[in-house]
């Protein structure tokens, strides 16, 4: 990065318009594998990110998402595979020369520097003059709403403020790629929501290609252009949030994202399955083993109050526009059904109901042994 | 809520802290009891400091200005700051500086090597245990160890001589200030390793990675982040080594038999009764001098520490 490009960015960062018209960098993670002893943290991970795109990697602890991020940052070396930025393989480029801004999960501000000096650190490493550094850092702190706190040290800032300074610090070097390693997980719910929105706004305004790692599905679904769900070092599915929710590619994704019911079913020939008295086509992978469960979301189940139905209402939780109703079905199967709150008055605990499946294609999974 | 449920002892609790009519004798007793309960935990330490440090220091300070009849005199202080005693102070300061700064740097480097070593847990445990043993190995046994190895007829000296290099032919002698410095390094370096390791472990890996991510090379990380963060602890450790070296007595005494003028040894000779009649209190003046040296070192430390750690305030 040259002094000029940074200076140019400095003049635009504080503005309201997009900083990089049509900017952004493409990133390609190609068949990455990484093992720690006998544990395969990454197992052939491939992801292509378009310029300016925000991709979230979502998955349970130990699924390999942070390892992937650290390989992109240059803090880990992949056993096989490569990372391409704008078509160039950067696998052998040291972390300090990758021009990637990173925000860490733990507060990683340098404790001996004020907020302003923290933000200016990357510029100092790039030999930007004191005046330029100060102006750029000031602009970025204003941008994250911390201009008045410029002279304060990290221990004088709250957790949310520290992460905002860390974000400004990562953006100060005008990174080609922004890497966010669970930056919100240590914050309380309210601050997390505010900062999440702020990150998304800034990312869209600056057009910086961003890889965001989180285990919080709500965070991933609300912030990302596309979400990659990972399990055991593999990418289960990479799709837009709505597609991920409505058309999960696997049982793992279906159950990891959102709430999913399991209803006992029986496979028929010709890719059909029967459950709750309905027969419908199976979507996606059909397990070899039986018995199976049909996976269905609470809002996809239909329910009517009837005498001598196939279930009894056990709980009722008001969630705003919808009410989530817990139903105990015959055969000791518990499901959750979402109903519009306006139509839920009669669904008191103890009420007899009839729950049925829609006729549309459904996902099935091998039944769990409890 | 509010006043009715206010916790006793809070600022506006009239029964405890308020100066108004409610603050009667009973509440004063309560207050006194509460204060006693608060300070009770530090009373043993206070007694220890008073008996072991404050009272002896006062006795030394008073005695330094008394003649044999108990009258006031400057002669003790005057004698302690001239001639062989003045040389003793200088030698002690030089010895303490050398054996605090050199082990300070070497100990930091060794501790860093231990800290960053792969398979660090086992190495760290072994190193800490070994450092603990070496740091506490002093006095006559240590002097004997060095006489047996680096003395003029010591094993190492003989071995070096057989290789064609007799250190005693090149100006080295164990029974000089240089020799004492070498001996002091033996326990000062491990002591530094022991006391600086926790500070090194306080350096968060995320700082290193964040600096690297922002374009810093290793030396830039240490210059701008690691070094400044570590500096207050380093200064504190060096001061500890300085004090340790200044007051060390038995090893040097056993090694040199008092031939090197060091204040601690000179005070020892006064304690042993090797004094000229009428000069008994010079020893107390020397002790006062050591208190002054430590006080100056602490002032220097406090000033440097405040500058180095202004980000902690």
């Amino acid at each position: 990065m040259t002094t000029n490009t940074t200076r140019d960015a400095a003049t635009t960062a504080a503005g309201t318009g997009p900083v990089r018209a049509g900017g952004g960098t493409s990133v390609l993670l190609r068949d990455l594998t990484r093992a720690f002893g006998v544990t395969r943290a990454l197992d052939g991970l491939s992801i292509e990110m378009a310029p300016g795109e925000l991709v979230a990697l979502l998955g349970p602890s130990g699924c390999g998402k942070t390892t992937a991020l650290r390989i992109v940052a240059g803090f880990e070396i992949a056993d096989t595979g490569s990372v391409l930025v704008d078509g160039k393989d950067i696998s052998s480029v040291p972390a300090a020369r990758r021009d990637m801004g990173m925000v860490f999960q733990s507060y990683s501000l340098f404790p001996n520097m004020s907020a302003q000096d923290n933000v200016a650190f990357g510029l100092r490493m790039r030999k930007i003059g004191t005046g330029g550094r100060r102006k750029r850092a000031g602009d970025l702190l204003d941008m994250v709403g911390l201009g008045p706190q410029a002279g304060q040290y990290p221990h004088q800032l709250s957790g949310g403020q520290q992460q905002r300074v860390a974000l400004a610090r990562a953006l100060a070097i005008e990174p080609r790629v922004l890497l966010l390693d669970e930056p919100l997980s240590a914050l309380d719910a309210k601050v997390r929501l505010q900062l999440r929105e702020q990150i998304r706004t800034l990312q869209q305004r600056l057009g910086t290609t961003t890889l965001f790692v989180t285990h919080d599905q709500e965070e991933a679904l609300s912030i990302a252009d596309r979400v990659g769900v990972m399990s055991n070092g593999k990418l289960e599915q990479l799709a837009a949030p709505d597609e991920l929710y409505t058309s999960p590619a696997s049982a793992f994704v279906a159950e990891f994202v959102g709430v999913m019911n399991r209803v006992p079913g029986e496979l028929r020939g010709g890719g059909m399955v029967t459950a709750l008295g309905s027969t419908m086509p199976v979507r996606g992978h059909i397990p070899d083993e039986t018995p199976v469960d049909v996976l269905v979301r609470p809002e996809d189940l239909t329910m009517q109050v009837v005498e001598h139905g196939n279930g009894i209402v056990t709980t009722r939780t008001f969630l705003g526009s919808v009410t989530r109703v817990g139903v105990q079905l015959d055969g000791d199967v518990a499901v959750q059904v979402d109903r519009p709150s306006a139509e839920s008055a009669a669904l008191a605990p103890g009420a007899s109901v009839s729950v049925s499946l829609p006729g549309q294609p459904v996902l099935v999974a091998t039944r769990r042994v409890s | 809520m509010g006043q009715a449920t206010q916790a006793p002892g809070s600022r506006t609790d009239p029964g405890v802290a308020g100066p108004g009519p409610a603050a009667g004798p009973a509440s004063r007793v309560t207050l006194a009891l509460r204060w006693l309960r608060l300070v009770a935990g530090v009373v043993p330490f206070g007694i220890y400091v008073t008996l072991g440090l404050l009272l002896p220091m006062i006795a030394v300070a008073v005695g330094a200005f008394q003649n044999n009849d108990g009258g006031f005199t400057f002669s003790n202080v005057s004698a302690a700051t001239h001639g062989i005693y003045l040389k003793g102070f200088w030698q002690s300061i030089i010895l303490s500086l050398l054996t605090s700064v050199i082990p300070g740097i070497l100990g930091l480097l060794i501790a860093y090597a231990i800290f960053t070593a792969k398979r660090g847990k086992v190495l760290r445990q072994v190193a800490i245990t070994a450092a603990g043993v070496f740091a506490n190995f002093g006095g006559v046994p240590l002097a004997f160890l060095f006489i047996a190895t680096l003395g003029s007829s010591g094993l190492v000296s003989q071995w070096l001589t057989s290789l064609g290099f007799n250190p005693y032919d090149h100006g080295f002698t164990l029974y000089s200030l240089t020799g004492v410095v070498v001996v002091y390094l033996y326990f000062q370096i491990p002591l530094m390793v022991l006391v600086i390791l926790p500070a090194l472990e306080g350096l968060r890996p995320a700082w290193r990675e964040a600096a690297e991510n922002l374009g810093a090379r290793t030396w830039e990380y240490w210059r701008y982040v690691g070094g400044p963060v570590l500096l207050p602890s380093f200064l504190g450790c060096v001061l500890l080594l300085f004090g340790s070296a200044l007051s060390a007595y038995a090893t040097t005494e056993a090694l040199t038999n008092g031939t090197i003028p060091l204040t601690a040894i000179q005070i020892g000779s006064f304690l042993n009764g090797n004094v000229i009649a009428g000069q008994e209190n010079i020893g107390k003046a020397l002790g006062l001098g050591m208190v002054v040296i430590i006080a100056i070192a602490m002032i220097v430390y406090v000033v440097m520490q405040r500058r180095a750690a202004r980000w902690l305030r």
Side-chain angles (χ1 to χ4, degrees), chain A residues 20-278:
Chain A
R20 274 195 250 193
T25 301
S26 68
V27 178
L28 175 62
L29 281 61
R30 196 160 60 189
D31 202 23
L32 295 176
T33 60
R34 179 78 169 100
F36 297 103
V38 293
T39 309
R40 284 181 84 84
L42 285 182
D43 191 1
L45 178 74
S46 293
I47 295 174
E48 189 167 1
M49 295 170 67
E53 188 181 27
L54 193 159
V55 170
L57 286 182
L58 174 67
S61 295
C63 72
K65 55 190 190 297
T66 294
T67 304
L69 185 103
R70 290 175 62 80
I71 287 174
V72 177
F75 298 136
E76 294 279 351
I77 297 170
D79 297 331
T80 62
S82 52
V83 178
L84 279 73
V85 174
D86 275 342
K88 287 180 186 166
D89 190 344
I90 60 159
S91 305
S92 59
V93 177
R97 298 284 165 266
R98 291 195 178 192
D99 273 339
M100 292 188 181
M102 185 157 170
V103 179
F104 296 80
Q105 178 182 2
S106 57
Y107 307 135
S108 62
L109 295 185
F110 307 133
N112 58 318
M113 295 182 200
S114 66
Q116 175 159 303
D117 289 342
N118 263 282
V119 176
F121 184 81
L123 304 174
R124 186 175 203 168
M125 296 303 103
R126 284 161 176 74
K127 315 294 181 210
I128 309 292
T130 311
R133 290 204 304 262
R134 201 166 285 171
K135 183 179 184 322
R136 171 85 170 136
D139 288 345
L140 279 156
L141 284 171
D142 285 340
M143 196 164 71
V144 296
L146 288 175
Q149 282 79 28
Q152 292 190 353
Y153 287 98
H155 76 274
Q156 296 169 317
L157 301 170
S158 68
Q161 287 174 327
Q162 287 191 47
Q163 286 302 64
R164 278 149 73 193
V165 174
L167 179 64
R169 183 176 70 177
L171 291 171
I173 58 169
E174 200 193 352
R176 293 199 289 172
V177 182
L178 182 61
L179 305 171
L180 306 171
D181 184 10
E182 306 209 29
L184 310 176
S185 61
L187 307 176
D188 64 57
K190 192 179 171 189
V191 178
R192 197 184 312 163
L193 186 64
Q194 288 171 346
L195 190 51
R196 186 171 87 194
E197 288 167 357
Q198 194 166 28
I199 287 172
R200 183 53 166 162
T201 305
L202 284 173
Q203 186 271 334
Q204 287 182 322
R205 202 163 102 193
L206 300 170
T208 310
T209 310
T210 302
L211 187 59
F212 184 103
V213 160
T214 180
H215 64 269
D216 184 328
Q217 54 164 298
E218 186 196 332
E219 211 166 271
L221 297 176
S222 63
I223 201 172
D225 295 310
R226 287 190 299 159
V227 177
V229 180
M230 291 184 66
S231 170
N232 296 323
K234 290 182 175 169
L235 187 67
E236 293 275 334
Q237 187 176 7
L238 178 62
D242 56 337
E243 189 187 340
L244 208 63
Y245 187 82
T246 55
S247 306
S250 65
F252 176 83
V253 176
E255 294 189 278
F256 192 77
V257 177
V259 177
M260 188 61 83
N261 291 305
R262 275 180 173 258
V263 179
E266 195 175 329
L267 284 174
R268 306 284 179 190
M272 304 294 280
V273 64
T274 299
L276 295 179
S278 305

Side-chain angles (χ1 to χ4, degrees), chain A residues 306-330:
Chain A
V306 292
E307 280 188 26
H308 310 299
N310 62 355
I312 300 290
V313 173
T314 54
T315 58
R316 189 171 66 171
T317 310
F318 177 70
L319 298 174
S321 60
V322 297
T323 292
R324 181 155 293 166
V325 182
V327 178
Q328 188 70 37
L329 295 175
D330 295 341

Side-chain angles (χ1 to χ4, degrees), chain B residues 41-173:
Chain B
V42 294
V43 166
F45 182 70
I47 293 170
Y48 171 72
V49 168
T50 305
L51 294 178
L53 186 68
L54 285 179
L55 289 180
M57 218 164 74
I58 291 168
V60 164
V62 170
F65 294 100
Q66 278 182 332
N67 56 28
N68 285 354
D69 302 326
F72 180 81
T73 178
F74 271 119
S75 62
N76 299 321
V77 174
S78 177
T81 52
H82 288 87
I84 191 71
Y85 299 123
L86 180 63
K87 192 178 178 187
F89 277 126
W90 281 123
Q91 296 262 57
S92 294
I93 290 170
I94 290 166
L95 175 70
S96 302
L97 279 175
L98 286 172
T99 56
S100 56
V101 175
I102 296 172
I105 294 166
L106 292 177
L108 176 65
L109 294 174
I110 293 169
Y112 179 70
I114 295 167
F115 172 64
T116 55
K118 286 183 179 172
R119 303 183 187 280
K121 270 188 183 170
V122 176
L123 178 67
R124 183 177 179 278
Q125 211 50 51
V126 171
I128 288 174
T129 307
V133 172
F134 294 141
N136 287 291
F137 187 57
V140 178
L142 179 65
F144 177 75
L145 180 132
F146 270 88
I147 291 167
T149 51
L150 275 176
S152 52
S153 304
L155 283 172
V156 176
S157 302
Q158 291 298 310
W159 177 68
L160 288 171
T161 305
S162 70
L163 293 175
F165 179 81
N166 183 351
Y168 284 80
D169 289 345
H170 293 80
F172 174 81
T173 166

